[in-house]
PDB file of all heavy atoms in Angstrom:
ATOM      1  N   ILE A  29       0.638 -13.222 -23.878  1.00 80.00           N
ATOM      2  CA  ILE A  29       1.476 -12.511 -22.972  1.00 80.00           C
ATOM      3  C   ILE A  29       1.003 -11.138 -22.701  1.00 80.00           C
ATOM      4  O   ILE A  29       0.966 -10.665 -21.569  1.00 80.00           O
ATOM      5  CB  ILE A  29       2.954 -12.543 -23.548  1.00 80.00           C
ATOM      6  CG1 ILE A  29       3.563 -13.911 -23.365  1.00 80.00           C
ATOM      7  CG2 ILE A  29       3.827 -11.513 -22.869  1.00 80.00           C
ATOM      8  CD1 ILE A  29       4.961 -14.073 -23.909  1.00 80.00           C
ATOM      9  N   PHE A  30       0.669 -10.351 -23.766  1.00 80.00           N
ATOM     10  CA  PHE A  30       0.238  -9.025 -23.571  1.00 80.00           C
ATOM     11  C   PHE A  30      -1.165  -8.966 -22.884  1.00 80.00           C
ATOM     12  O   PHE A  30      -1.406  -8.084 -22.097  1.00 80.00           O
ATOM     13  CB  PHE A  30       0.183  -8.303 -24.943  1.00 80.00           C
ATOM     14  CG  PHE A  30       1.468  -7.699 -25.324  1.00 80.00           C
ATOM     15  CD1 PHE A  30       2.363  -8.324 -26.240  1.00 80.00           C
ATOM     16  CD2 PHE A  30       1.867  -6.488 -24.852  1.00 80.00           C
ATOM     17  CE1 PHE A  30       3.517  -7.797 -26.543  1.00 80.00           C
ATOM     18  CE2 PHE A  30       3.075  -5.899 -25.134  1.00 80.00           C
ATOM     19  CZ  PHE A  30       3.922  -6.623 -26.055  1.00 80.00           C
ATOM     20  N   THR A  31      -2.013  -9.985 -23.068  1.00 84.00           N
ATOM     21  CA  THR A  31      -3.223 -10.088 -22.410  1.00 84.00           C
ATOM     22  C   THR A  31      -3.006 -10.267 -20.887  1.00 84.00           C
ATOM     23  O   THR A  31      -3.616  -9.610 -20.069  1.00 84.00           O
ATOM     24  CB  THR A  31      -4.128 -11.236 -22.905  1.00 84.00           C
ATOM     25  OG1 THR A  31      -4.343 -11.029 -24.319  1.00 84.00           O
ATOM     26  CG2 THR A  31      -5.393 -11.319 -22.211  1.00 84.00           C
ATOM     27  N   TRP A  32      -2.055 -11.202 -20.584  1.00 85.00           N
ATOM     28  CA  TRP A  32      -1.732 -11.423 -19.195  1.00 85.00           C
ATOM     29  C   TRP A  32      -1.074 -10.210 -18.562  1.00 85.00           C
ATOM     30  O   TRP A  32      -1.327  -9.868 -17.385  1.00 85.00           O
ATOM     31  CB  TRP A  32      -0.797 -12.619 -19.058  1.00 85.00           C
ATOM     32  CG  TRP A  32      -0.078 -12.718 -17.784  1.00 85.00           C
ATOM     33  CD1 TRP A  32       1.183 -12.660 -17.508  1.00 85.00           C
ATOM     34  CD2 TRP A  32      -0.737 -12.998 -16.503  1.00 85.00           C
ATOM     35  NE1 TRP A  32       1.471 -12.799 -16.195  1.00 85.00           N
ATOM     36  CE2 TRP A  32       0.314 -13.006 -15.512  1.00 85.00           C
ATOM     37  CE3 TRP A  32      -2.062 -13.187 -16.129  1.00 85.00           C
ATOM     38  CZ2 TRP A  32       0.031 -13.206 -14.176  1.00 85.00           C
ATOM     39  CZ3 TRP A  32      -2.349 -13.374 -14.720  1.00 85.00           C
ATOM     40  CH2 TRP A  32      -1.292 -13.415 -13.806  1.00 85.00           C
ATOM     41  N   GLU A  33      -0.281  -9.485 -19.299  1.00 83.00           N
ATOM     42  CA  GLU A  33       0.389  -8.263 -18.776  1.00 83.00           C
ATOM     43  C   GLU A  33      -0.685  -7.218 -18.441  1.00 83.00           C
ATOM     44  O   GLU A  33      -0.616  -6.560 -17.357  1.00 83.00           O
ATOM     45  CB  GLU A  33       1.382  -7.719 -19.820  1.00 83.00           C
ATOM     46  CG  GLU A  33       1.820  -6.310 -19.618  1.00 83.00           C
ATOM     47  CD  GLU A  33       2.740  -6.140 -18.394  1.00 83.00           C
ATOM     48  OE1 GLU A  33       3.208  -7.159 -17.900  1.00 83.00           O
ATOM     49  OE2 GLU A  33       2.913  -5.022 -17.925  1.00 83.00           O
ATOM     50  N   SER A  34      -1.675  -7.055 -19.279  1.00 84.00           N
ATOM     51  CA  SER A  34      -2.757  -6.105 -18.999  1.00 84.00           C
ATOM     52  C   SER A  34      -3.575  -6.502 -17.783  1.00 84.00           C
ATOM     53  O   SER A  34      -3.844  -5.632 -16.877  1.00 84.00           O
ATOM     54  CB  SER A  34      -3.674  -5.981 -20.253  1.00 84.00           C
ATOM     55  OG  SER A  34      -2.955  -5.582 -21.364  1.00 84.00           O
ATOM     56  N   LEU A  35      -3.902  -7.767 -17.647  1.00 88.00           N
ATOM     57  CA  LEU A  35      -4.656  -8.207 -16.512  1.00 88.00           C
ATOM     58  C   LEU A  35      -3.826  -8.134 -15.205  1.00 88.00           C
ATOM     59  O   LEU A  35      -4.358  -7.668 -14.206  1.00 88.00           O
ATOM     60  CB  LEU A  35      -5.113  -9.690 -16.690  1.00 88.00           C
ATOM     61  CG  LEU A  35      -6.146  -9.966 -17.773  1.00 88.00           C
ATOM     62  CD1 LEU A  35      -6.429 -11.395 -17.971  1.00 88.00           C
ATOM     63  CD2 LEU A  35      -7.445  -9.172 -17.448  1.00 88.00           C
ATOM     64  N   ALA A  36      -2.553  -8.510 -15.286  1.00 88.00           N
ATOM     65  CA  ALA A  36      -1.676  -8.438 -14.112  1.00 88.00           C
ATOM     66  C   ALA A  36      -1.523  -6.976 -13.619  1.00 88.00           C
ATOM     67  O   ALA A  36      -1.481  -6.783 -12.435  1.00 88.00           O
ATOM     68  CB  ALA A  36      -0.373  -9.098 -14.384  1.00 88.00           C
ATOM     69  N   CYS A  37      -1.430  -6.096 -14.591  1.00 88.00           N
ATOM     70  CA  CYS A  37      -1.272  -4.695 -14.255  1.00 88.00           C
ATOM     71  C   CYS A  37      -2.495  -4.198 -13.421  1.00 88.00           C
ATOM     72  O   CYS A  37      -2.354  -3.592 -12.421  1.00 88.00           O
ATOM     73  CB  CYS A  37      -1.110  -3.835 -15.479  1.00 88.00           C
ATOM     74  SG  CYS A  37      -1.205  -2.078 -15.257  1.00 88.00           S
ATOM     75  N   ILE A  38      -3.680  -4.391 -13.954  1.00 90.00           N
ATOM     76  CA  ILE A  38      -4.923  -3.976 -13.254  1.00 90.00           C
ATOM     77  C   ILE A  38      -5.127  -4.683 -11.986  1.00 90.00           C
ATOM     78  O   ILE A  38      -5.412  -4.017 -10.928  1.00 90.00           O
ATOM     79  CB  ILE A  38      -6.111  -4.214 -14.216  1.00 90.00           C
ATOM     80  CG1 ILE A  38      -5.979  -3.315 -15.510  1.00 90.00           C
ATOM     81  CG2 ILE A  38      -7.387  -3.857 -13.466  1.00 90.00           C
ATOM     82  CD1 ILE A  38      -7.113  -3.536 -16.441  1.00 90.00           C
ATOM     83  N   ILE A  39      -4.891  -5.950 -11.969  1.00 90.00           N
ATOM     84  CA  ILE A  39      -5.153  -6.792 -10.703  1.00 90.00           C
ATOM     85  C   ILE A  39      -4.132  -6.313  -9.616  1.00 90.00           C
ATOM     86  O   ILE A  39      -4.552  -6.109  -8.455  1.00 90.00           O
ATOM     87  CB  ILE A  39      -4.988  -8.259 -10.977  1.00 90.00           C
ATOM     88  CG1 ILE A  39      -6.139  -8.770 -11.863  1.00 90.00           C
ATOM     89  CG2 ILE A  39      -4.973  -9.087  -9.655  1.00 90.00           C
ATOM     90  CD1 ILE A  39      -5.970 -10.187 -12.313  1.00 90.00           C
ATOM     91  N   THR A  40      -2.900  -6.157  -9.934  1.00 90.00           N
ATOM     92  CA  THR A  40      -1.886  -5.709  -8.941  1.00 90.00           C
ATOM     93  C   THR A  40      -2.216  -4.347  -8.477  1.00 90.00           C
ATOM     94  O   THR A  40      -2.050  -4.013  -7.232  1.00 90.00           O
ATOM     95  CB  THR A  40      -0.490  -5.795  -9.538  1.00 90.00           C
ATOM     96  OG1 THR A  40      -0.320  -7.088 -10.148  1.00 90.00           O
ATOM     97  CG2 THR A  40       0.606  -5.553  -8.475  1.00 90.00           C
ATOM     98  N   TYR A  41      -2.615  -3.392  -9.345  1.00 91.00           N
ATOM     99  CA  TYR A  41      -2.949  -2.100  -8.890  1.00 91.00           C
ATOM    100  C   TYR A  41      -4.150  -2.075  -7.942  1.00 91.00           C
ATOM    101  O   TYR A  41      -4.110  -1.377  -6.885  1.00 91.00           O
ATOM    102  CB  TYR A  41      -3.297  -1.223 -10.103  1.00 91.00           C
ATOM    103  CG  TYR A  41      -3.676   0.179  -9.766  1.00 91.00           C
ATOM    104  CD1 TYR A  41      -2.682   1.165  -9.417  1.00 91.00           C
ATOM    105  CD2 TYR A  41      -5.003   0.585  -9.802  1.00 91.00           C
ATOM    106  CE1 TYR A  41      -3.074   2.405  -9.144  1.00 91.00           C
ATOM    107  CE2 TYR A  41      -5.340   1.888  -9.498  1.00 91.00           C
ATOM    108  CZ  TYR A  41      -4.387   2.810  -9.178  1.00 91.00           C
ATOM    109  OH  TYR A  41      -4.721   4.075  -8.869  1.00 91.00           O
ATOM    110  N   VAL A  42      -5.111  -2.863  -8.188  1.00 91.00           N
ATOM    111  CA  VAL A  42      -6.312  -2.970  -7.327  1.00 91.00           C
ATOM    112  C   VAL A  42      -5.956  -3.561  -6.007  1.00 91.00           C
ATOM    113  O   VAL A  42      -6.346  -3.085  -4.951  1.00 91.00           O
ATOM    114  CB  VAL A  42      -7.461  -3.760  -8.053  1.00 91.00           C
ATOM    115  CG1 VAL A  42      -8.608  -4.005  -6.999  1.00 91.00           C
ATOM    116  CG2 VAL A  42      -7.926  -3.017  -9.217  1.00 91.00           C
ATOM    117  N   GLU A  43      -5.111  -4.591  -6.019  1.00 90.00           N
ATOM    118  CA  GLU A  43      -4.605  -5.259  -4.748  1.00 90.00           C
ATOM    119  C   GLU A  43      -3.819  -4.292  -3.979  1.00 90.00           C
ATOM    120  O   GLU A  43      -3.957  -4.225  -2.764  1.00 90.00           O
ATOM    121  CB  GLU A  43      -3.752  -6.426  -5.110  1.00 90.00           C
ATOM    122  CG  GLU A  43      -4.533  -7.652  -5.602  1.00 90.00           C
ATOM    123  CD  GLU A  43      -3.616  -8.785  -5.936  1.00 90.00           C
ATOM    124  OE1 GLU A  43      -2.389  -8.582  -6.012  1.00 90.00           O
ATOM    125  OE2 GLU A  43      -4.147  -9.962  -6.175  1.00 90.00           O
ATOM    126  N   LEU A  44      -3.016  -3.506  -4.585  1.00 91.00           N
ATOM    127  CA  LEU A  44      -2.228  -2.423  -3.927  1.00 91.00           C
ATOM    128  C   LEU A  44      -3.037  -1.438  -3.179  1.00 91.00           C
ATOM    129  O   LEU A  44      -2.862  -1.135  -2.017  1.00 91.00           O
ATOM    130  CB  LEU A  44      -1.305  -1.732  -4.941  1.00 91.00           C
ATOM    131  CG  LEU A  44      -0.488  -0.524  -4.414  1.00 91.00           C
ATOM    132  CD1 LEU A  44       0.647  -0.987  -3.470  1.00 91.00           C
ATOM    133  CD2 LEU A  44       0.065   0.238  -5.522  1.00 91.00           C
ATOM    134  N   CYS A  45      -4.082  -0.918  -3.890  1.00 91.00           N
ATOM    135  CA  CYS A  45      -4.993   0.088  -3.284  1.00 91.00           C
ATOM    136  C   CYS A  45      -5.808  -0.445  -2.171  1.00 91.00           C
ATOM    137  O   CYS A  45      -5.970   0.172  -1.110  1.00 91.00           O
ATOM    138  CB  CYS A  45      -5.871   0.710  -4.383  1.00 91.00           C
ATOM    139  SG  CYS A  45      -5.009   1.563  -5.653  1.00 91.00           S
ATOM    140  N   VAL A  46      -6.320  -1.699  -2.392  1.00 92.00           N
ATOM    141  CA  VAL A  46      -7.140  -2.309  -1.331  1.00 92.00           C
ATOM    142  C   VAL A  46      -6.319  -2.621  -0.082  1.00 92.00           C
ATOM    143  O   VAL A  46      -6.792  -2.385   1.041  1.00 92.00           O
ATOM    144  CB  VAL A  46      -7.754  -3.633  -1.885  1.00 92.00           C
ATOM    145  CG1 VAL A  46      -8.419  -4.415  -0.747  1.00 92.00           C
ATOM    146  CG2 VAL A  46      -8.809  -3.317  -2.932  1.00 92.00           C
ATOM    147  N   SER A  47      -5.065  -3.118  -0.267  1.00 92.00           N
ATOM    148  CA  SER A  47      -4.212  -3.420   0.883  1.00 92.00           C
ATOM    149  C   SER A  47      -3.886  -2.152   1.637  1.00 92.00           C
ATOM    150  O   SER A  47      -3.903  -2.130   2.922  1.00 92.00           O
ATOM    151  CB  SER A  47      -2.947  -4.063   0.384  1.00 92.00           C
ATOM    152  OG  SER A  47      -2.020  -4.322   1.463  1.00 92.00           O
ATOM    153  N   LEU A  48      -3.544  -0.995   0.926  1.00 92.00           N
ATOM    154  CA  LEU A  48      -3.283   0.206   1.631  1.00 92.00           C
ATOM    155  C   LEU A  48      -4.489   0.777   2.336  1.00 92.00           C
ATOM    156  O   LEU A  48      -4.316   1.340   3.462  1.00 92.00           O
ATOM    157  CB  LEU A  48      -2.693   1.189   0.638  1.00 92.00           C
ATOM    158  CG  LEU A  48      -1.250   0.876   0.069  1.00 92.00           C
ATOM    159  CD1 LEU A  48      -0.841   1.851  -1.005  1.00 92.00           C
ATOM    160  CD2 LEU A  48      -0.231   0.895   1.209  1.00 92.00           C
ATOM    161  N   ASP A  49      -5.617   0.631   1.759  1.00 92.00           N
ATOM    162  CA  ASP A  49      -6.814   1.085   2.456  1.00 92.00           C
ATOM    163  C   ASP A  49      -7.173   0.291   3.677  1.00 92.00           C
ATOM    164  O   ASP A  49      -7.580   0.816   4.685  1.00 92.00           O
ATOM    165  CB  ASP A  49      -8.017   1.090   1.465  1.00 92.00           C
ATOM    166  CG  ASP A  49      -7.989   2.129   0.431  1.00 92.00           C
ATOM    167  OD1 ASP A  49      -7.123   3.147   0.538  1.00 92.00           O
ATOM    168  OD2 ASP A  49      -8.712   2.063  -0.636  1.00 92.00           O
ATOM    169  N   THR A  50      -6.886  -1.044   3.582  1.00 92.00           N
ATOM    170  CA  THR A  50      -7.217  -1.902   4.721  1.00 92.00           C
ATOM    171  C   THR A  50      -6.269  -1.535   5.891  1.00 92.00           C
ATOM    172  O   THR A  50      -6.740  -1.547   7.067  1.00 92.00           O
ATOM    173  CB  THR A  50      -6.997  -3.351   4.292  1.00 92.00           C
ATOM    174  OG1 THR A  50      -7.842  -3.659   3.202  1.00 92.00           O
ATOM    175  CG2 THR A  50      -7.299  -4.321   5.430  1.00 92.00           C
ATOM    176  N   HIS A  51      -5.025  -1.185   5.635  1.00 92.00           N
ATOM    177  CA  HIS A  51      -4.065  -0.880   6.658  1.00 92.00           C
ATOM    178  C   HIS A  51      -3.829   0.588   6.819  1.00 92.00           C
ATOM    179  O   HIS A  51      -2.762   1.007   7.270  1.00 92.00           O
ATOM    180  CB  HIS A  51      -2.739  -1.607   6.435  1.00 92.00           C
ATOM    181  CG  HIS A  51      -2.787  -3.096   6.405  1.00 92.00           C
ATOM    182  ND1 HIS A  51      -3.008  -3.799   5.237  1.00 92.00           N
ATOM    183  CD2 HIS A  51      -2.761  -4.004   7.423  1.00 92.00           C
ATOM    184  CE1 HIS A  51      -3.054  -5.082   5.481  1.00 92.00           C
ATOM    185  NE2 HIS A  51      -2.888  -5.246   6.758  1.00 92.00           N
ATOM    186  N   ARG A  52      -4.825   1.398   6.404  1.00 91.00           N
ATOM    187  CA  ARG A  52      -4.623   2.855   6.419  1.00 91.00           C
ATOM    188  C   ARG A  52      -4.332   3.349   7.900  1.00 91.00           C
ATOM    189  O   ARG A  52      -3.396   4.136   8.077  1.00 91.00           O
ATOM    190  CB  ARG A  52      -5.836   3.568   5.870  1.00 91.00           C
ATOM    191  CG  ARG A  52      -5.763   5.047   5.876  1.00 91.00           C
ATOM    192  CD  ARG A  52      -6.895   5.674   5.109  1.00 91.00           C
ATOM    193  NE  ARG A  52      -8.174   5.202   5.695  1.00 91.00           N
ATOM    194  CZ  ARG A  52      -9.351   5.288   5.089  1.00 91.00           C
ATOM    195  NH1 ARG A  52      -9.413   5.845   3.880  1.00 91.00           N
ATOM    196  NH2 ARG A  52     -10.443   4.859   5.646  1.00 91.00           N
ATOM    197  N   SER A  53      -5.162   2.990   8.832  1.00 91.00           N
ATOM    198  CA  SER A  53      -4.932   3.494  10.206  1.00 91.00           C
ATOM    199  C   SER A  53      -3.593   3.003  10.705  1.00 91.00           C
ATOM    200  O   SER A  53      -2.892   3.781  11.447  1.00 91.00           O
ATOM    201  CB  SER A  53      -6.118   2.935  11.056  1.00 91.00           C
ATOM    202  OG  SER A  53      -7.350   3.426  10.637  1.00 91.00           O
ATOM    203  N   ARG A  54      -3.215   1.773  10.495  1.00 92.00           N
ATOM    204  CA  ARG A  54      -1.918   1.276  10.946  1.00 92.00           C
ATOM    205  C   ARG A  54      -0.793   1.994  10.250  1.00 92.00           C
ATOM    206  O   ARG A  54       0.235   2.299  10.881  1.00 92.00           O
ATOM    207  CB  ARG A  54      -1.834  -0.252  10.635  1.00 92.00           C
ATOM    208  CG  ARG A  54      -0.696  -0.891  11.282  1.00 92.00           C
ATOM    209  CD  ARG A  54      -0.753  -2.434  11.026  1.00 92.00           C
ATOM    210  NE  ARG A  54       0.275  -3.117  11.719  1.00 92.00           N
ATOM    211  CZ  ARG A  54       0.496  -4.475  11.667  1.00 92.00           C
ATOM    212  NH1 ARG A  54      -0.319  -5.170  10.921  1.00 92.00           N
ATOM    213  NH2 ARG A  54       1.517  -5.027  12.340  1.00 92.00           N
ATOM    214  N   HIS A  55      -0.973   2.280   8.943  1.00 92.00           N
ATOM    215  CA  HIS A  55       0.031   3.103   8.276  1.00 92.00           C
ATOM    216  C   HIS A  55       0.211   4.444   8.869  1.00 92.00           C
ATOM    217  O   HIS A  55       1.364   4.910   9.070  1.00 92.00           O
ATOM    218  CB  HIS A  55      -0.401   3.181   6.791  1.00 92.00           C
ATOM    219  CG  HIS A  55       0.682   3.562   5.842  1.00 92.00           C
ATOM    220  ND1 HIS A  55       0.523   3.576   4.465  1.00 92.00           N
ATOM    221  CD2 HIS A  55       1.922   3.998   6.089  1.00 92.00           C
ATOM    222  CE1 HIS A  55       1.600   3.957   3.920  1.00 92.00           C
ATOM    223  NE2 HIS A  55       2.524   4.224   4.812  1.00 92.00           N
ATOM    224  N   ILE A  56      -0.840   5.145   9.177  1.00 91.00           N
ATOM    225  CA  ILE A  56      -0.809   6.469   9.767  1.00 91.00           C
ATOM    226  C   ILE A  56      -0.095   6.399  11.109  1.00 91.00           C
ATOM    227  O   ILE A  56       0.722   7.250  11.460  1.00 91.00           O
ATOM    228  CB  ILE A  56      -2.190   7.097   9.831  1.00 91.00           C
ATOM    229  CG1 ILE A  56      -2.722   7.407   8.391  1.00 91.00           C
ATOM    230  CG2 ILE A  56      -2.134   8.395  10.670  1.00 91.00           C
ATOM    231  CD1 ILE A  56      -4.166   7.877   8.338  1.00 91.00           C
ATOM    232  N   ARG A  57      -0.456   5.452  11.927  1.00 91.00           N
ATOM    233  CA  ARG A  57       0.179   5.309  13.274  1.00 91.00           C
ATOM    234  C   ARG A  57       1.670   5.021  13.145  1.00 91.00           C
ATOM    235  O   ARG A  57       2.477   5.591  13.895  1.00 91.00           O
ATOM    236  CB  ARG A  57      -0.462   4.209  14.080  1.00 91.00           C
ATOM    237  CG  ARG A  57      -1.944   4.528  14.559  1.00 91.00           C
ATOM    238  CD  ARG A  57      -2.301   3.536  15.646  1.00 91.00           C
ATOM    239  NE  ARG A  57      -2.291   2.181  15.182  1.00 91.00           N
ATOM    240  CZ  ARG A  57      -3.273   1.516  14.621  1.00 91.00           C
ATOM    241  NH1 ARG A  57      -4.387   2.131  14.429  1.00 91.00           N
ATOM    242  NH2 ARG A  57      -3.116   0.259  14.234  1.00 91.00           N
ATOM    243  N   MET A  58       2.050   4.279  12.112  1.00 92.00           N
ATOM    244  CA  MET A  58       3.475   3.925  11.928  1.00 92.00           C
ATOM    245  C   MET A  58       4.214   5.242  11.612  1.00 92.00           C
ATOM    246  O   MET A  58       5.327   5.477  12.120  1.00 92.00           O
ATOM    247  CB  MET A  58       3.672   2.926  10.873  1.00 92.00           C
ATOM    248  CG  MET A  58       5.077   2.491  10.590  1.00 92.00           C
ATOM    249  SD  MET A  58       5.272   1.482   9.067  1.00 92.00           S
ATOM    250  CE  MET A  58       4.900   2.735   7.786  1.00 92.00           C
ATOM    251  N   LEU A  59       3.701   6.043  10.662  1.00 91.00           N
ATOM    252  CA  LEU A  59       4.420   7.227  10.263  1.00 91.00           C
ATOM    253  C   LEU A  59       4.492   8.234  11.382  1.00 91.00           C
ATOM    254  O   LEU A  59       5.498   8.922  11.598  1.00 91.00           O
ATOM    255  CB  LEU A  59       3.629   7.863   9.107  1.00 91.00           C
ATOM    256  CG  LEU A  59       3.631   7.015   7.807  1.00 91.00           C
ATOM    257  CD1 LEU A  59       2.798   7.749   6.727  1.00 91.00           C
ATOM    258  CD2 LEU A  59       5.017   6.758   7.264  1.00 91.00           C
ATOM    259  N   ALA A  60       3.407   8.325  12.215  1.00 89.00           N
ATOM    260  CA  ALA A  60       3.460   9.192  13.361  1.00 89.00           C
ATOM    261  C   ALA A  60       4.460   8.730  14.410  1.00 89.00           C
ATOM    262  O   ALA A  60       5.211   9.566  15.009  1.00 89.00           O
ATOM    263  CB  ALA A  60       2.089   9.275  14.004  1.00 89.00           C
ATOM    264  N   SER A  61       4.635   7.391  14.549  1.00 90.00           N
ATOM    265  CA  SER A  61       5.642   6.901  15.476  1.00 90.00           C
ATOM    266  C   SER A  61       7.029   7.151  14.971  1.00 90.00           C
ATOM    267  O   SER A  61       7.960   7.434  15.788  1.00 90.00           O
ATOM    268  CB  SER A  61       5.439   5.429  15.696  1.00 90.00           C
ATOM    269  OG  SER A  61       4.081   5.119  16.215  1.00 90.00           O
ATOM    270  N   MET A  62       7.223   7.109  13.698  1.00 90.00           N
ATOM    271  CA  MET A  62       8.542   7.413  13.175  1.00 90.00           C
ATOM    272  C   MET A  62       8.944   8.868  13.371  1.00 90.00           C
ATOM    273  O   MET A  62      10.068   9.198  13.737  1.00 90.00           O
ATOM    274  CB  MET A  62       8.634   7.089  11.680  1.00 90.00           C
ATOM    275  CG  MET A  62       8.569   5.598  11.408  1.00 90.00           C
ATOM    276  SD  MET A  62       8.637   5.249   9.641  1.00 90.00           S
ATOM    277  CE  MET A  62       8.887   3.463   9.623  1.00 90.00           C
ATOM    278  N   GLN A  63       7.958   9.746  13.174  1.00 87.00           N
ATOM    279  CA  GLN A  63       8.207  11.176  13.504  1.00 87.00           C
ATOM    280  C   GLN A  63       8.529  11.396  14.968  1.00 87.00           C
ATOM    281  O   GLN A  63       9.450  12.146  15.292  1.00 87.00           O
ATOM    282  CB  GLN A  63       6.985  11.976  13.158  1.00 87.00           C
ATOM    283  CG  GLN A  63       6.613  12.043  11.662  1.00 87.00           C
ATOM    284  CD  GLN A  63       5.386  12.905  11.385  1.00 87.00           C
ATOM    285  OE1 GLN A  63       4.311  12.306  10.997  1.00 87.00           O
ATOM    286  NE2 GLN A  63       5.403  14.177  11.533  1.00 87.00           N
ATOM    287  N   LEU A  64       7.740  10.732  15.844  1.00 89.00           N
ATOM    288  CA  LEU A  64       7.997  10.932  17.275  1.00 89.00           C
ATOM    289  C   LEU A  64       9.325  10.347  17.700  1.00 89.00           C
ATOM    290  O   LEU A  64       9.979  10.884  18.625  1.00 89.00           O
ATOM    291  CB  LEU A  64       6.823  10.272  18.042  1.00 89.00           C
ATOM    292  CG  LEU A  64       6.817  10.430  19.585  1.00 89.00           C
ATOM    293  CD1 LEU A  64       6.749  11.919  19.986  1.00 89.00           C
ATOM    294  CD2 LEU A  64       5.697   9.600  20.204  1.00 89.00           C
ATOM    295  N   LEU A  65       9.777   9.300  17.094  1.00 89.00           N
ATOM    296  CA  LEU A  65      11.034   8.632  17.419  1.00 89.00           C
ATOM    297  C   LEU A  65      12.186   9.615  17.229  1.00 89.00           C
ATOM    298  O   LEU A  65      13.087   9.789  18.127  1.00 89.00           O
ATOM    299  CB  LEU A  65      11.232   7.395  16.665  1.00 89.00           C
ATOM    300  CG  LEU A  65      12.579   6.641  16.874  1.00 89.00           C
ATOM    301  CD1 LEU A  65      12.661   6.128  18.315  1.00 89.00           C
ATOM    302  CD2 LEU A  65      12.700   5.489  15.863  1.00 89.00           C
ATOM    303  N   ASP A  66      12.228  10.325  16.098  1.00 87.00           N
ATOM    304  CA  ASP A  66      13.280  11.221  15.838  1.00 87.00           C
ATOM    305  C   ASP A  66      13.333  12.395  16.908  1.00 87.00           C
ATOM    306  O   ASP A  66      14.376  12.838  17.311  1.00 87.00           O
ATOM    307  CB  ASP A  66      13.132  11.780  14.457  1.00 87.00           C
ATOM    308  CG  ASP A  66      13.659  10.793  13.337  1.00 87.00           C
ATOM    309  OD1 ASP A  66      14.013   9.680  13.739  1.00 87.00           O
ATOM    310  OD2 ASP A  66      13.620  11.097  12.177  1.00 87.00           O
ATOM    311  N   THR A  67      12.080  12.822  17.167  1.00 87.00           N
ATOM    312  CA  THR A  67      11.984  13.965  18.176  1.00 87.00           C
ATOM    313  C   THR A  67      12.549  13.490  19.540  1.00 87.00           C
ATOM    314  O   THR A  67      13.287  14.334  20.175  1.00 87.00           O
ATOM    315  CB  THR A  67      10.494  14.363  18.299  1.00 87.00           C
ATOM    316  OG1 THR A  67      10.018  14.745  17.001  1.00 87.00           O
ATOM    317  CG2 THR A  67      10.373  15.507  19.261  1.00 87.00           C
ATOM    318  N   GLN A  68      12.214  12.343  19.949  1.00 88.00           N
ATOM    319  CA  GLN A  68      12.706  11.893  21.272  1.00 88.00           C
ATOM    320  C   GLN A  68      14.223  11.554  21.262  1.00 88.00           C
ATOM    321  O   GLN A  68      14.847  11.768  22.301  1.00 88.00           O
ATOM    322  CB  GLN A  68      11.870  10.649  21.687  1.00 88.00           C
ATOM    323  CG  GLN A  68      10.378  10.986  21.976  1.00 88.00           C
ATOM    324  CD  GLN A  68       9.613   9.730  22.319  1.00 88.00           C
ATOM    325  OE1 GLN A  68      10.056   8.612  22.203  1.00 88.00           O
ATOM    326  NE2 GLN A  68       8.403   9.944  22.820  1.00 88.00           N
TER     327      GLN A  68
END
C-alpha cells in the first residue's frame, strides 16, 4: 500500500504538470477572457 501511495503520488504530480503545460496557452486565454468579461 505504501509503495503504491508513493508511486501514485509521483505519477499524479507528473501528469498534473504535463497536462497544465500542454494546455498552457488555452489556460492563459481562459483567464484573460474571464478578466475581460467582468470589465465588459
Side-chain angles (χ1 to χ4, degrees):
I29 284 176
F30 275 97
T31 302
W32 166 246
E33 165 68 16
S34 301
L35 291 175
C37 169
I38 295 176
I39 292 173
T40 308
Y41 178 78
V42 173
E43 288 178 348
L44 173 72
C45 296
V46 171
S47 177
L48 290 175
D49 288 345
T50 304
H51 299 94
R52 177 174 56 195
S53 300
R54 191 176 184 181
H55 196 173
I56 291 175
R57 288 196 303 268
M58 180 191 70
L59 296 177
S61 298
M62 288 180 172
Q63 292 178 252
L64 184 61
L65 178 64
D66 283 3
T67 303
Q68 293 179 348

